[in-house]
């Protein structure tokens, strides 16, 4: 993105931003990386926090209750940030669509809205939206979306087992499901079509860019004439978008940062081989 370098910071230090954007946490599912998100929230704060949909997975909770302590801790952590003064804005997605009946309401200091226009520190304006309205499958064939959700949940289940084994062997988090998705040509083509459709909507609103979620593909670019920023998710990529005090945006890959912190000490401990 011209003028917006893709950055990944190194040190696990406390960082304060003008705004923070999180999407697709999917609390209530076994695939949710709640521990990584709690670690992220420990080091990252902002004046305004946008929850860009699918924070809670109502689809999965209806079919079977799953709510471990770490998921409750995430909710409490977010509410605590609100009590400490952060403005909290919740834009429900398709998996937490039950909250769409409460647009305009406030819950524990959290505003529930359909869309938002975020004005950055540099004066540029961004449409904030979950993005499922641009997913034709979700809009017009919900039964097919549920079928896809089942297959996706199976892949995430495999992802959970793979990472359990990796932890036992001392390896950091890695997303099998994300790797597989990006190897499928149809999925890659869908991502491109989705990004273009969202960019068209941003131009219709006469804004400078769009910040969204939904497709679990974290990225920032200007490929369609406006700035496109996707928060990613906390199931596969474990990423978030932040705005610095000068209006500059950054995509933080917390899984990669954590992986780097895990691997670096191992490299230092590796015994030297004589020449």
């Amino acid at each position: 993105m011209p003028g917006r370098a893709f950055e990944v910071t190194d040190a696990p230090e406390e960082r304060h931003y003008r705004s923070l954007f999180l999407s697709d946490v999917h609390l209530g599912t076994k695939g949710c990386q709640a521990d990584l998100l709690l670690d992220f929230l420990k080091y990252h704060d902002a004046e305004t926090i946008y929850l860009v949909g699918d924070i809670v997975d109502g689809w999965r909770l209806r079919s079977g209750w799953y709510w471990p302590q770490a998921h409750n801790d995430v909710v409490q952590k977010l509410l605590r940030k609100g009590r400490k003064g952060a403005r909290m804005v919740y834009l429900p997605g398709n998996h937490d669509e039950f909250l769409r009946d409460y647009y305009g309401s406030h819950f524990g200091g959290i505003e529930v809205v359909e869309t938002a226009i975020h004005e950055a520190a540099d004066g540029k304006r961004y449409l904030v939206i979950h993005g499922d309205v641009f997913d034709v499958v979700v809009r017009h064939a919900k039964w097919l979306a549920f079928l896809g959700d089942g297959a996706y949940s199976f892949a995430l289940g495999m992802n959970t087992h793979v990472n359990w084994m990796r932890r036992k062997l001392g390896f950091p988090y890695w997303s099998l499901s994300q790797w597989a998705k990006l190897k499928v040509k149809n999925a890659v083509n869908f991502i491109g079509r989705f990004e273009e459709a969202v960019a068209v909507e941003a131009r219709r609103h006469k804004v400078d860019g769009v910040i969204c979620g939904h497709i679990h593909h974290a990225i920032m670019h200007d490929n369609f004439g406006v700035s496109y920023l996707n928060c990613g998710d906390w199931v596969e990529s474990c990423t978030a978008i932040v705005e610095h005090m000068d209006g500059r945006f950054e995509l933080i890959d917390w899984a990669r940062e954590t992986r780097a912190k895990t691997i670096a000490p191992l490299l230092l401990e590796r015994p030297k081989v004589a020449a």
Side-chain angles (χ1 to χ4, degrees):
M1 179 180 291
R4 300 187 190 279
F6 183 97
E7 307 170 21
V8 175
T9 43
D10 297 320
E13 57 190 14
E14 290 189 15
R15 311 162 190 173
H16 190 81
Y17 300 98
R18 188 169 183 269
S19 55
L20 165 64
F21 301 82
L22 297 167
S23 78
D24 297 272
V25 177
H26 290 276
L27 294 170
T29 69
K30 293 182 179 179
C32 170
Q33 302 298 320
D35 289 332
L36 269 176
L37 178 54
L38 284 168
D39 188 54
F40 173 84
L41 292 173
K42 178 180 178 181
Y43 297 110
H44 298 78
D45 238 325
E47 296 175 1
T48 302
I49 299 176
Y50 289 91
L51 304 174
V52 193
D54 288 0
I55 305 303
V56 176
D57 196 319
W59 289 12
R60 194 53 48 199
L61 287 172
R62 279 198 298 267
S63 63
W65 188 258
Y66 178 79
W67 196 268
Q69 183 59 44
H71 293 209
N72 200 56
D73 291 343
V74 168
V75 174
Q76 293 302 319
K77 186 74 170 178
L78 290 170
L79 290 173
R80 194 175 304 120
K81 287 183 180 295
R83 288 195 298 270
K84 288 183 176 180
R87 180 191 175 204
M88 307 289 292
V89 184
Y90 197 139
L91 302 93
N94 50 303
H95 283 258
D96 46 16
E97 60 190 350
F98 60 91
L99 289 170
R100 288 176 169 171
D101 293 333
Y102 300 97
Y103 288 147
S105 301
H106 287 68
F107 296 99
I110 300 177
E111 309 167 37
V112 182
V113 300
E114 183 175 9
T115 62
I117 300 295
H118 174 75
E119 184 169 339
D122 59 6
K124 291 185 177 180
R125 298 164 68 245
Y126 296 82
L127 172 67
V128 187
I129 188 170
H130 178 64
D132 62 288
V133 293
F134 303 101
D135 185 337
V136 175
V137 171
V138 173
R139 290 181 66 192
H140 302 298
K142 185 162 286 191
W143 67 270
L144 186 58
F146 275 101
L147 180 63
D149 182 61
Y152 182 57
S153 296
F154 174 78
L156 292 177
M158 292 298 296
N159 197 59
T160 301
H161 293 304
V162 167
N163 276 287
W164 178 85
M165 181 61 69
R166 286 176 64 85
R167 283 195 301 272
K168 290 291 184 182
L169 295 173
F171 292 106
Y173 174 78
W174 174 74
S175 178
L176 168 67
S177 52
Q178 183 185 43
W179 174 84
K181 182 171 71 176
L182 294 179
K183 292 294 182 182
V184 178
K185 182 179 179 181
N186 287 342
V188 174
N189 289 341
F190 166 76
I191 289 170
R193 291 196 301 271
F194 174 87
E195 292 177 352
E196 185 173 11
V198 174
V200 168
E201 182 69 6
R203 290 199 297 272
R204 191 178 71 82
H205 279 78
K206 296 181 170 56
V207 293
D208 300 287
V210 60
I211 303 171
C212 62
H214 184 55
I215 60 171
H216 296 205
H217 184 62
I219 199 167
M220 301 195 309
H221 62 67
D222 291 320
N223 295 348
F224 300 108
V226 297
S227 297
Y228 172 89
L229 299 88
N230 194 299
C231 308
D233 65 283
W234 289 87
V235 176
E236 299 176 81
S237 58
C238 300
T239 52
I241 297 284
V242 296
E243 178 200 356
H244 291 266
M245 294 302 178
D246 59 0
R248 177 172 49 94
F249 283 86
E250 177 187 354
L251 174 61
I252 297 180
D253 185 334
W254 196 241
R256 185 163 71 178
E257 288 198 37
T258 304
R259 192 158 54 239
K261 286 185 290 184
T262 303
I263 292 173
L266 296 177
L267 293 176
L268 291 173
E269 293 171 7
R270 182 178 295 174
K272 294 182 179 179
V273 179

